[in-house]
Amino acid sequence: MLTSKDIKLLIGSFKTREEADADSQALKEEMQELRLDVLEKLDAVYKEVKDMRQEQDMHVQKHRDIDERLDNLESPIHSN
């Protein structure tokens, strides 16, 4: 059961509307900063993945070119 002392402590811990609004605004600003930080990190990861994909595409194309050259070199040998 709550005593009058407990009730006074509870009432004393309540915030005014202005304090609650200030806390809410501070939380919104903190969340905005966090969101921007996360987006910047995602941009860095996206760039890294994109760069790796381009390197992989170039590597695959080099293999295709080499295979084509080998096919062209083998072709006259087998036709004789």
Side-chain angles (χ1 to χ4, degrees):
M1 179 163 206
L2 290 175
T3 65
S4 60
K5 182 180 177 182
D6 295 332
I7 293 172
K8 286 179 184 178
L9 285 173
L10 284 172
I11 291 172
S13 68
F14 291 154
K15 294 185 177 195
T16 65
R17 181 65 180 187
E18 291 80 21
E19 291 171 327
D21 287 345
D23 287 348
S24 176
Q25 184 62 32
L27 181 60
K28 284 179 185 177
E29 290 171 5
E30 185 178 332
M31 293 303 294
Q32 180 68 16
E33 289 175 19
L34 179 62
R35 180 178 173 269
L36 291 174
D37 187 44
V38 168
L39 289 175
E40 286 174 3
K41 287 182 171 128
L42 280 175
D43 283 346
V45 169
Y46 172 75
K47 183 185 180 320
E48 185 71 24
V49 169
K50 184 179 172 185
D51 290 347
M52 288 175 59
R53 181 63 185 259
Q54 286 177 335
E55 288 176 16
Q56 184 181 24
D57 287 344
M58 291 186 326
H59 187 80
V60 167
Q61 186 60 45
K62 282 185 177 185
H63 277 277
R64 287 182 184 143
D65 293 344
I66 291 169
D67 287 344
E68 184 179 328
R69 288 179 62 197
L70 283 173
D71 288 343
N72 289 338
L73 288 173
E74 290 175 348
S75 182
I77 294 172
H78 292 314
S79 64
N80 288 334

